[in-house]
Amino acid sequence: MNRIRLLVFNPALPVLDYKVPAHLSVEPGSLVLAPLGPRQVLGIVWEADRLPGDEVPEAKLRPILEVLPVAPLAAPLRRLIEWCADYYVAPMNAVARMALGSMAALRGGGTTTEYRLSGHEPKRLTPQRAAAMDALHGEQATIRELAAIAGVSEAVLRGMANTGILEPVTVDLDRPYPRARADFAVPDLSAEQQQVADRFIAAVDAEEFRPFLLDGVTGSGKTECYFEAVAEAIRRKCQVLVLLPEIALTENFLRRFEARFGTPPVLWHSSLKASERRRAWRAIASGEAQVVVGARSALFLPYARLGLLVVDEAHEVSFKQDDGVRYNARDVAVIRARFEKVPVILASATPALESLEMAEAGVYERVVLPDRFGGAQLPEIAVLDLRKEPPERGRWLAPRLVAEMRERLERGEQSLLFLNRRGYAPLTLCRHCGYRFQCPNCSAWLVEHRLSRRLSCHHCGHEVPVPDECPQCHTGDCLVACGPGVERIADEVKELFPEARSALVTSDTLNSPEKISEFVAAAEQGLIDVIIGTQLVTKGYHFPELTLVGVVDADLGLEGGDLRAGERTYQQIAQVAGRAGRGEKPGEVLIQTRHPEAAVIAALAAGDRDAFYAAEAEGRREAGAPPFGRWAAIIVSSEDEAEAREASRAIGGARPNLPDVLVLGPAPAPLALLRGRYRYRLLINARRSAQLQDVIRQWLASLSFPQGVRVSVDIDPYSFV
Ligand code: ADP
Ligand code: ZN
């Protein structure tokens, strides 16, 4: 039989039947091109009995055109795609798309042309060309990518290429990566660490599905331990995927990897250049890439011989994807490991309650590293009650914190101030008429960024310059900043300690790998006295002279009423606290709060992690929240407010009437307007026994909506806005 069924990437026609002409041969998973009307479509050959669709009569079958020169998607990956589509109530082709690189990658190897500065400097340059030359130092990329880097049009760069300022470089797309060496620099593990590493190594050798929860305090050497499992996989010529939150994919981590294995890993993240992406994808699919370190999107790539999966900082919220296919990479990693029959290690100092419960239930093997490496002590954590010890008027740092910082300065040690809020102030208003600056596309205030002199929306990116007068009452010089962002704290530090060398660490200031490396080097060399940062500083850094961490506002994360607010606050503060006292000198942490009685703050202060998790588990059990019950959300949006409301009401009206499923809403979402779309939400709370996905599928299948309405389902939601 040469009839085949294809999964194609057309939202309206996800499944199509074809025949295979005699000169071609395919198997399930093969990537092929097929005719569709006058066009060609890309398709994946799929087992017909697993992909329901209308059967095309024999006489109407058209032949496929071409089989692409890449390995077929293997069965475990195909099963993973099916599983995700089913579990996350997502279209299968949307999930499958995440496995594919660019069309260019599927087309096979070859060469591409990139450009770089030739060194030739003409005597006269237009200002545009001069600016482009400044921006392009050390860069080599395609014209289009260089245009984005330099902020000029492609035409300008083509002109520069024609006059010899830029020179073409032919790049081999499939040039091999340097080999990682399992035994390049084997560390001396402590006895405790060795035991942990041995368990991982045995699991890699066993080549079977074994999920581990590596639960170890910050600085205990979790990375060192799982690196030994990575080494074992390399010895066995298997591939490894290490998933990291995007913000932890730092130069720092890569250097550490290189020090252990003699070469950096193969990287995968959202800002790879097209040629890097293509090269990495092809090396992954061919099995040539040994160790891939990537953000969540690396999870669906077609590894030829996967031998181990690691999810580091597994508690991180950023593993949850909230657009397109709404999946949680931490959970999908475990499922992938199960289909691939390989071990998976979830590593964290502050595991998600869900992960702890899985360990408790015996589904995950819990592996514990209770102590910091080398005898370093965990920091002392103290609470600073802002109601009793308020900062001076117009300031945000309480006197005790300031005094501690002064001591550190005198001793030549470092302090770190943590506030998870970018910009100068989260709200700007007019002193005269009360006007508040709001985003026109979102229900959100505009955040003042003093460094760039702009008001910006952190949801959609809308920006305006800070005006001289109030747009409503036209009074001049009347705008007041309300509340602090990190830039404001940095100003306060400058006023308090004019002589101190401070560094502001946010995605606005450290926006390139070079700037991050510069910061890390300066901090390591003791050239920085005070670090002021957002969550960007909570991850991975190891600064031995850092002995004081000040949490500027511990209550920030507790606002908003999100289901995991307590857990997230606990994790963030425990992680940032974990930056203190990693060297020989002990660390101290001061938490500024107005709610010292809150369970999470009390547990942090008492150093009683178990108490926190117990209280958290109790609260969730009562609320029927995960892991004891299940949540799902249906989000309805449209550019037309009435249309969105109507659609959400129609969904609400068709709600299932089941004993184990409770539907809340529809109600306007907390972010009722986002990127110009009006949003309504329904929240579904179900017992664990309920067939939640089937219920939702059937429920929505009976409804139809106007073109402009988007309905998306979020299983196990993290965001409640
Ligand atoms: P975690 O990931 O648990 O926070 P790391 O793996 O980052 O811990 O280790 C913390 C620090 O201790 C790192 O600088 C690491 O290089 C060092 N370290 C941990 N274990 C060892 C070891 N066995 N030998 C040498 N250095 C180690
Ligand atoms: Zn906005």
Side-chain angles (χ1 to χ4, degrees), residues 439 441-442 457 460:
C439 176
N441 314 316
C442 306
C457 171
C460 72

Side-chain angles (χ1 to χ4, degrees), residues 439-444 446 457-462 673-675:
C439 176
N441 314 316
C442 306
S443 5
L446 294 180
C457 171
H458 287 185
H459 296 284
C460 72
H462 173 83
L673 179 64
L674 178 63
R675 295 185 202 100

Side-chain angles (χ1 to χ4, degrees), residues 226-423:
Y226 75 67
F227 272 3
E228 293 318 292
V230 172
E232 184 67 1
I234 294 174
R235 281 182 207 110
R236 301 178 67 87
K237 308 214 173 346
C238 290
Q239 291 173 294
V240 180
L241 168 61
V242 179
L243 285 183
L244 281 175
E246 194 116 14
I247 64 163
L249 267 173
T250 55
E251 203 49 40
N252 207 28
F253 182 86
L254 301 182
R255 261 200 279 141
R256 214 171 144 185
F257 187 96
E258 187 170 1
R260 172 66 185 82
F261 297 107
T263 172
V266 176
L267 271 182
W268 185 271
H269 55 77
S270 55
S271 40
L272 285 185
K273 291 191 297 178
S275 62
E276 291 167 337
R277 205 173 186 76
R278 180 168 166 181
R279 178 182 177 207
W281 191 89
R282 292 181 55 79
I284 287 165
S286 72
E288 204 255 320
Q290 295 166 290
V291 183
V292 178
V293 173
R296 63 180 183 230
S297 59
L299 182 54
F300 289 93
L301 299 176
Y303 300 89
R305 277 190 311 276
L306 201 56
L308 171 69
L309 269 156
V310 178
V311 185
D312 200 353
E313 311 281 4
H315 61 279
E316 264 290 313
V317 183
S318 63
F319 284 122
K320 176 71 166 66
Q321 171 154 308
D322 271 333
D323 50 15
V325 180
R326 294 164 182 263
Y327 68 95
N328 187 324
R330 177 198 68 206
D331 299 339
V332 177
V334 176
I335 302 296
R336 178 146 200 187
R338 197 178 80 199
F339 285 126
E340 302 274 355
K341 301 193 173 64
V342 300
V344 54
I345 302 169
L346 308 183
S348 174
T350 52
L353 188 63
E354 282 87 340
S355 304
L356 280 174
E357 287 290 323
M358 291 296 261
E360 201 86 329
V363 181
Y364 297 170
E365 286 180 50
R366 180 153 169 216
V367 181
V368 183
L369 284 171
D371 301 311
R372 278 193 162 175
F373 175 75
Q377 292 300 303
L378 282 171
E380 280 294 324
I381 301 185
V383 169
L384 198 162
D385 186 344
L386 289 173
R387 294 167 311 183
K388 294 192 186 134
E389 304 176 56
E392 282 172 36
R393 242 185 106 76
R395 300 216 188 247
W396 312 96
L397 306 175
R400 178 146 59 107
L401 179 52
V402 174
E404 293 285 350
M405 290 173 68
R406 178 161 296 121
E407 257 183 50
R408 296 311 185 286
L409 277 169
E410 282 161 7
R411 294 207 298 257
E413 296 169 10
Q414 284 168 333
S415 306
L416 163 64
L417 297 175
F418 169 67
L419 178 66
N420 201 20
R421 201 190 251 153
R422 293 190 294 126

Side-chain angles (χ1 to χ4, degrees), residues 75 83 89 106 109 136 145 151 356 361 424 439 511 629:
W83 184 92
V89 194
L106 304 178
L136 294 181
E145 287 159 350
L356 280 174
Y424 184 83
C439 176
N511 49 14

